[in-house]
């Protein structure tokens, strides 16, 4: 039968494989699956390293990327930064050993995490050109820079130093430079190095990036701000989403010798009281040694964690871009398309996946010269890194496809899939851990918690879009009537009464008969760093109208300068008025002053109304059904509602006037 | 400034990470990103191992998959096979060490290759439940089975054996069984374990799979054939697509001490003569020691390889499903949908990517109860394994999206994207190396060579679909006329001539005036394991017509029983006739007999014509523009064209008759 010898024969072939050999043979999981892409991957990994190092050291990044063509299919990529440099004894391992790095165990937002990226580039370079990589590094407390030629020995996953030299690096107090030759193809246009750098600049406005292309042409992406992102703080793991095996593993190696201390010290957001609650619910004695934790203990602790209220993770381990910079970035990058509308971006409150905090941010532009008949373009970013490939595999795409965009004014077959229309959507995920689908870090895995947050943020942006579009459509329909009652009718009345020498008739009943709507006319003016918003509410109906009005304002970087009349509530970037009855044919006016915003940060009012038939109001949309989800991120001091009055409805100071008296 | 201390501080945090720790923290790259998916991944990895082991040992697989619910979110998965078993000393490493396996270096088709799969499942089980996996194995030459409880120590990537026992395994001469508890969710319907097993059975008709679901219900997927797939042969790397670094690495460790011997012995398809050619072109002396190969030598050798004609790789390292079994499988699995048309599947000729041979196979069904208004469903398979997730990331999807399906009768906005219509497309990639986008093996990377082949295969299938649809449309349009000339007109003529007692008039001129087309009426009959094809060609035009006709027949498992008249050429599953002039109003008939096919394997003729205005012929499509690509895989002995006659055009033996004489 030959079977025993087969089991034995198979046994002889079973052996261990070095991780480097594995990745060398599966280079596509690192992103090296085409010559065009390989070039971008190499640039990306080097830049990620440079930006991370600069930010950790609190340095404003200055990065130069240079691409030289060596022959038909060989390019040399050189990336130089002004980071802190790498100490000599670690250079070889950092650049030529896979799974070697400093950020793997840290719970905080960073671009690189896995200790694979740049070493993988070095490995791919030597695989495709046979050449070593050259690394130069200078740290501040040494007089000279060190320069090495490095090879990664894939059979053993260890670096081989081919050459070490010490050199004077003119004008460089500290920094590093890596040069790698790889088989590649250089292109311009979409999914090119240039586009990649443009995207990087968009989400890293504090970085200055210089690009020298193969023809020697130089492009500079200037830094848009001299303020580096707030430094991210390393936190302990949050207990939410913890797995049994992970808990047991931590318990085994903890330095604490009581369960209660272990929970408090080794996790974030567990206080003495919370630890006590958890252990009580789990029926685990607080004095028990963590090292003796049994499976059943672990199981019950995990269950208890789900029942006990634990604070959301602190957010200083994250570095979201922010609503203001997203809008600014979009205006910068997409100005060629002259969009007619920049939807107010959304930065969501932090949530947790598998113990890791994350924040979702979404922006959108609409109209102008964006092709109206194509699929909506989706720009994806993770921890301030553009994602150019594998859109189809990404949770961002899944989230966009899951939203029924027909509700928000885009075309979409069956309410599923990527919508069509003149729009660009930008989605950024910031997290202490981005769950990429592969080591190539091209797509975010479809983790339900993350995808759900993205969908919610997209719906908020969708509501803004609908509000904008509906405004236009309904207004233009009724505009004609409005012109009649506002301009033509009074003029006719005036002339007519002049001719027949009779007093001006009361036009009110005629006007309300023609219009029969509450008409809201609003505008935004910007002057001396202030946005002045005026909302005129004309009651062109036969009866008095009282209803609730909401205005959406940016939740971020905002100082509310003055609101008149006083709102009922200000929360999460929403101002709410329970308006007093406006008599038929009369007008009410609301004035708001916003301070501290760039001109671009606010250019169109987004108004919603409730307590009034939506057919009877023009200029404010009905309150969205999913309005509850639109809670924005910041609840700053300046936004606290001045709710010291307990009256039902607010007063207008001087907003009353008879609107039938034209002008 | 603090910079030196930062570089030093960062240096202290830089350290190596075990590959197991890496994958534990990035479990989503292994496919563990949701509880539903985790269950399928676990089942899939265990089955892949069982099927591979059985096939290597030449055993017809009998596999039992059992899923037990332990508590709300914990399930135990047990997979048992009748494979050769694993020798005791290797069990721990095979099941609880990542990157340990027997198939990593072998160039031949297999499901598992990376030595990650089953160990990753064991790791994920212990992470989410804290429990070890239990493995039982019996090899033929031992009396007892060995059973072990195993844990993977993720800090060191090494197995820990918690228990070893020796047990009697009743009725099991050899085999293995693995049981793992994991956190998961069990569902039915799409992307369920049941669907996964159904797909597995579809592309592994030689395997018997029994499934016992959590409620204890048992399903058996019976084997459809007792013939195991031909054993795959391990080959040496093919030189096409070789990288410089890989060549230099091989040269360094070869046992050959002359370049010429090295090329001949260490690669497939390099003969003495080819080696000589390559080295001559590369200006590398044949007697040079490979161990001294310089980068420049390697570069020139790679360039020379691209210039020298090297045979395509042998295909006995591959195990495609085959056109017949694809069609059979589709009929089995999709019979509920009652498709109205099974497009003739295509098995392409082998091609090479990065030195690895591969074969693309495509099938398609159309109509029936397949939803007419949804996106076309795509079923993806790689090395006989169904791919359920990451469709958006897959080269298969990219290929489908790149084809302009509007040409072939499906709806598609802008000629890009997944088309809409009542169709299901099946794509199978067989290769000694599937370039998956991640370790989860869910999607095929977008490697240009592979995607191009898929597109070509899809176009061939698209042509068949168009041919089928066009036939229907044009026929139904002209059917009315046809009925008149075939049935009504002769009847009227007969009656009229009877009444007026005059001879039957010549209807020819009238008929050709009404029709003015060449009308092809064809049918397929099956009896006694033979397909009989009859093609009647009516010339309903005023002038004689000579043109070229093509019929497409399966290229696989086919014996051409007889063709009358003799064709001009038979090649790649296409029969070609240069038809002699058919006089106006006359008819020609072609008869073909096919043997050795299942009834289902051929049910509709696919006819093309050239040398005639396409408006003037009904029942045969114009030759497709991309016809050249449709070369199918097998050029069997029985298909050699009987081209012993050198006349221009073929004779009809007895096909002439006056078609104006009805019946």
């Amino acid at each position: 039968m030959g079977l025993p010898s087969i089991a034995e024969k198979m046994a002889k072939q079973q052996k261990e494989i070095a991780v480097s050999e594995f990745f060398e043979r599966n280079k596509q999981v690192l992103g090296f699956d085409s010559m065009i892409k390989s070039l971008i991957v190499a640039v990306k990994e080097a830049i990620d390293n440079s930006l991370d190092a600069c930010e950790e050291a609190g340095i404003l990044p200055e990065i130069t990327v240079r691409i030289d063509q060596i022959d038909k299919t060989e390019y040399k990529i050189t990336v130089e930064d002004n980071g802190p440099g790498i100490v000599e004894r670690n250079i070889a391992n950092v650049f030529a050993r896979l799974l070697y790095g400093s950020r793997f165990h840290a719970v905080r937002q960073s671009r690189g995490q896995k200790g694979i990226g740049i070493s993988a580039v070095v490995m791919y370079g030597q695989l495709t050109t046979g050449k070593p990589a050259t690394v130069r590094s200078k740290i501040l407390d040494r007089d000279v820079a060190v320069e090495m030629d490095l090879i990664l020995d894939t059979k053993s996953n260890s670096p081989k130093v081919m050459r070490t030299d010490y050199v004077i690096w003119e004008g460089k107090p500290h920094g590093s430079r890596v040069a790698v030759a790889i088989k590649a193809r250089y292109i311009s246009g979409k999914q090119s190095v240039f586009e990649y750098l443009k995207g990087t600049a968009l989400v890293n406005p504090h970085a200055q990036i210089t690009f020298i292309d193969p023809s020697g042409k130089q492009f500079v992406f200037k830094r848009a701000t001299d303020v580096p992102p707030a430094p991210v703080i390393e936190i302990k793991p949050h207990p939410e989403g913890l797995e049994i095996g992970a808990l047991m593993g931590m318990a085994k190696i903890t330095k604490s010798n009581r369960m209660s201390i272990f929970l408090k010290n080794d996790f974030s957001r567990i206080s003495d009281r919370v630890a006590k609650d958890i252990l009580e619910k789990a029926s685990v004695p607080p004095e028990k040694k963590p090292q003796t934790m049994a499976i059943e203990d672990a199981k019950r602790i995990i269950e208890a964690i789900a029942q006990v209220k634990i604070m959301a993770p602190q957010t200083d381990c994250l570095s979201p871009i922010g609503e203001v910079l997203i809008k600014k970035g979009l205006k910068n990058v997409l100005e060629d398309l002259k969009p007619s509308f920049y939807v107010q971006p959304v930065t969501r409150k932090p949530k947790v996946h598998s113990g890791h905090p994350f924040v979702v941010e979404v922006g959108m532009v609409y109209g102008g010269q964006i092709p109206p008949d194509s699929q909506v373009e989706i720009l994806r970013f993770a921890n301030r890194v553009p994602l150019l490939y594998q859109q189809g595999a990404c949770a961002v795409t899944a989230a966009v496809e899951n939203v029924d965009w027909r509700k928000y004014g885009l075309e979409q077959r069956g309410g599923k899939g990527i919508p069509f229309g003149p729009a660009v959507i930008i989605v950024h995920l910031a997290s202490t851990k981005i769950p990429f689908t592969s080591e190539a870090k091209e797509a975010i895995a479809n983790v339900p918690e993350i995808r759900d947050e993205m969908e919610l943020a997209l719906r908020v942006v969708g509501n803004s879009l609908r509000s904008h579009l509906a405004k236009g459509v309904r207004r233009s329909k009724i505009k004609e009537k409005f012109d009649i009652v506002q301009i033509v009718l009074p003029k006719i009345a005036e002339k007519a009464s002049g001719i027949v020498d009779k007093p001006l008739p009361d036009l009110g009943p005629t006007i309300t008969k023609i219009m029969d709507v509450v008409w809201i006319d609003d505008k935004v003016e910007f002057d001396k760093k202030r946005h002045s918003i005026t909302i005129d509410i004309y009651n062109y109906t036969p009866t008095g109208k009282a209803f609730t009005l909401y205005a959406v304002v940016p939740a971020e970087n905002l100082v509310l300068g003055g609101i008149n009349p006083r709102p009922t509530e200000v929360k999460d970037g929403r101002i709410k008025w329970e308006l007093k009855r406006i008599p038929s044919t009369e007008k009410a006016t609301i004035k708001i002053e916003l301070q501290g915003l760039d001109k671009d940060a606010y250019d169109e009012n987004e108004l919603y109304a409730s307590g009034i038939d939506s057919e009877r109001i023009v200029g404010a949309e009905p309150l969205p059904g999913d309005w509850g989800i639109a809670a924005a991120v910041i609840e700053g001091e300046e936004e606290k509602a001045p709710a010291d009055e307990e009256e039902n409805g607010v007063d207008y100071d001087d907003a009353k006037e008879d609107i039938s008296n034209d002008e």
Side-chain angles (χ1 to χ4, degrees), chain A:
Chain A
M1 263 202 84
L3 283 175
S5 63
I6 282 172
E8 272 298 340
K9 199 182 135 214
M10 286 164 81
K12 284 197 188 91
Q13 292 164 345
Q14 283 153 356
K15 55 188 163 200
E16 202 175 353
I17 309 146
V19 63
S20 42
E21 210 176 347
F22 168 76
F23 281 122
E24 186 180 29
R25 283 178 183 248
N26 293 283
K27 50 190 192 294
Q28 76 286 346
V29 310
L30 301 168
F32 298 110
D33 52 7
S34 83
M35 279 164 64
I36 293 171
K37 207 167 144 189
S38 298
L39 192 65
I40 293 179
V41 171
V43 169
K44 165 194 159 77
E45 296 296 348
I47 291 189
D48 282 2
N49 267 22
S50 291
L51 287 173
D52 275 341
C54 287
E55 280 168 30
E56 259 180 75
I59 298 166
L60 275 175
E62 264 160 44
I63 298 173
T64 304
V65 177
R66 184 190 176 95
I67 296 181
D68 294 294
Q69 180 156 17
I70 306 301
D71 64 25
K72 211 173 125 239
T73 60
E74 188 178 322
Y75 289 83
K76 190 170 90 174
I77 296 144
T78 310
V79 176
E80 180 178 328
D81 65 42
N82 61 337
I86 300 133
V87 300
E88 182 178 342
R89 66 177 186 282
N90 282 16
I91 290 175
N93 279 329
V94 166
F95 286 90
R97 185 196 286 271
L98 297 177
L99 295 179
Y100 184 93
S102 61
R103 287 178 282 269
F104 185 71
H105 292 92
V107 183
R108 72 167 173 224
Q109 177 176 337
S110 63
R111 294 166 185 79
Q113 242 162 358
K114 301 174 177 182
I116 292 182
I118 193 66
S119 298
V121 174
V122 170
M123 183 175 75
Y124 185 70
Q126 78 196 31
L127 173 69
T128 55
T129 69
K131 294 178 184 170
T134 300
V135 177
R136 182 186 276 204
S137 159
K138 164 103 173 55
I139 61 174
L140 192 60
D141 56 356
R142 290 197 63 173
D143 293 331
V144 291
V146 58
E147 193 172 276
M148 292 181 181
D149 285 349
L150 294 170
I151 283 263
L152 196 165
D153 178 7
T154 54
K155 295 269 174 217
S156 64
N157 186 29
S158 59
K160 247 167 97 176
V161 179
M162 315 293 282
R163 173 182 71 92
T164 305
D165 275 324
Y166 300 93
V167 291
I168 302 290
W169 204 355
E170 281 299 335
K172 201 87 184 183
H174 50 83
S176 68
R177 186 173 73 193
V178 56
V180 189
I182 69 168
K183 182 168 140 189
R185 221 180 107 204
Y186 180 83
I187 56 160
S188 48
K190 258 197 173 177
Q191 300 191 324
S192 65
V193 170
F194 181 82
E195 283 298 311
Y196 182 80
L197 296 177
K198 197 167 150 188
T200 304
L202 159 63
V203 288
N204 295 279
H206 63 294
Q208 175 116 344
I209 302 174
T210 304
F211 174 45
I212 301 157
D213 81 1
S215 73
K217 216 166 147 189
Q218 179 172 315
F219 306 86
V220 180
F221 299 91
K222 283 198 180 140
R223 77 167 48 91
T225 169
D226 284 338
V227 186
V232 288
I233 308 300
E234 186 174 335
I235 62 164
K236 288 169 199 152
H238 191 275
E240 217 178 296
L242 190 68
E243 301 288 1
I244 293 175
L247 174 62
M248 291 176 71
M250 287 175 75
K252 201 168 286 169
I253 56 163
T254 182
K255 283 166 190 153
S256 314
N257 57 1
R258 284 168 62 95
M259 278 287 191
S260 53
I261 314 267
F262 163 59
L263 289 182
K264 188 188 160 198
N265 284 0
D266 291 19
F267 293 93
S268 66
R269 299 301 203 193
I270 297 195
S271 62
D272 284 327
R273 198 191 48 70
V274 170
K276 190 165 157 280
D277 272 12
I278 292 172
L279 293 172
E280 238 172 61
K281 276 211 165 52
S283 312
V284 172
E287 66 279 1
K288 183 168 178 151
K289 276 192 187 309
Q291 294 75 6
T292 66
M293 188 188 287
I295 290 185
E296 282 313 311
D297 297 331
K299 220 164 181 168
R300 286 198 311 271
I301 289 175
I302 299 260
E303 280 164 15
I305 285 171
Q307 290 162 29
V308 171
K309 199 172 154 52
I310 299 173
M311 277 179 77
Q314 55 267 57
T315 55
D316 46 9
C317 56
L318 295 182
S319 174
I321 304 168
E323 298 177 353
V324 171
L325 280 176
I326 290 177
K327 199 159 179 180
K328 205 171 193 173
L330 285 171
K331 292 209 172 185
N332 262 340
V333 172
L334 301 175
E335 61 184 346
D336 296 349
L337 295 170
K338 301 187 177 48
S340 59
F341 183 54
Y342 289 84
V343 181
Q344 175 60 32
V346 173
T347 296
R348 300 273 304 165
K349 285 184 179 160
K351 290 277 155 65
V352 181
H353 76 94
S354 300
H356 287 275
F358 69 94
V359 163
V360 168
E361 306 186 280
V362 172
M364 191 187 209
V365 300
Y366 184 87
Q369 289 169 17
I370 304 172
D373 212 34
S374 304
Q375 283 193 336
V376 161
E377 192 180 348
I378 304 170
L379 302 177
R380 299 171 294 132
F381 297 88
N383 282 359
R384 295 171 175 261
V385 176
L387 310 180
L388 293 194
Y389 289 93
Q390 292 288 20
Q391 175 171 308
C394 194
V396 170
T397 312
V400 170
E401 290 176 342
N402 279 351
V403 170
D404 186 347
W405 290 96
R406 299 174 301 183
K407 289 203 285 182
Y408 306 123
L410 294 175
E411 212 184 313
Q412 189 185 35
R413 179 156 186 162
K416 283 254 159 214
I418 297 178
F420 287 76
V424 179
I425 297 174
I426 177 174
V427 178
H428 178 232
L429 175 67
S431 177
T432 54
K433 167 140 193 99
I434 306 281
F436 287 111
T437 58
S438 82
E439 291 78 2
K441 299 191 277 188
E442 292 165 341
I444 300 162
N446 203 339
V447 175
E449 292 90 339
I450 295 175
R451 195 202 46 231
D452 288 352
E453 267 294 293
M454 291 177 174
E455 283 181 34
L456 293 177
L458 288 164
R459 289 216 192 101
V460 175
V461 165
N463 274 323
S464 301
L465 177 64
R466 174 179 52 190
S467 159
H468 167 78
L469 296 176
K471 239 180 192 171
V473 171
R474 293 205 62 203
R475 277 233 171 102
S476 70
K477 270 190 195 158
I478 306 195
K479 183 81 173 101
E480 218 171 292
K481 290 185 187 176
F482 187 77
D483 287 347
I484 292 172
V485 301
Q486 282 283 72
I487 303 158
V488 182
L489 221 53
K491 288 246 161 91
I492 291 173
E494 201 181 322
K495 290 233 164 158
S497 63
I499 290 166
V500 301
D501 199 21
K502 285 209 173 161
L504 212 60
D506 179 9
L507 290 176
T510 315
I511 286 175
T512 58
K513 202 172 172 189
I514 295 174
M515 295 295 287
D516 198 18
V517 290
V518 171
W519 174 269
I520 297 180
D521 212 17
D522 63 277
K523 62 181 176 192
V524 181
E525 287 159 317
F526 185 77
D527 187 33
K528 292 179 189 151
K529 303 201 167 187
R530 281 186 315 202
H531 288 82
S532 302
I533 300 167
T534 309
I535 304 169
D536 288 323
I537 308 163
Y538 300 86
N539 181 2
Y540 289 134
T541 73
T543 58
K545 284 279 182 290
F547 58 94
T548 308
L549 187 76
Y550 301 81
V552 178
V553 292
E556 200 186 85
N557 290 2
L558 172 75
V559 180
L560 279 172
I563 311 181
N564 188 3
R566 283 206 166 176
T568 320
E569 191 183 52
V570 179
K571 200 182 163 189
D572 296 342
R574 290 170 189 167
I575 309 176
K576 174 183 175 184
W577 296 268
E578 277 162 18
L579 294 176
K580 277 196 164 168
R581 187 171 169 281
I582 307 170
S584 175
T585 75
E586 291 197 7
K587 168 182 145 189
T589 294
I590 294 175
K591 282 183 182 292
I592 309 168
E593 204 177 87
L594 309 179
Q595 292 173 353
L597 295 178
D598 279 350
K599 183 174 187 302
D600 283 348
Y602 194 83
D603 39 25
E604 181 172 316
N605 300 310
E606 188 178 334
L607 304 174
Y608 296 98
S610 67
I612 183 169
D613 181 359
S614 65
E615 288 300 303
R616 290 279 85 77
I617 185 161
V618 176
E621 283 301 292
L623 214 55
D626 45 9
W627 179 252
I629 63 171
V633 67
I634 291 172
E635 297 167 61
E637 186 62 28
E638 69 282 5
E639 283 186 64
K640 282 274 159 58
D644 42 348
E645 296 161 299
E646 266 308 314
E647 50 172 64
N648 190 15
V650 292
D651 270 316
Y652 316 110
D653 284 354
D654 57 353
K656 284 180 195 169
E657 55 176 301
D658 188 352
I659 54 169
S660 61
N661 287 338
D662 182 42
E663 266 148 290

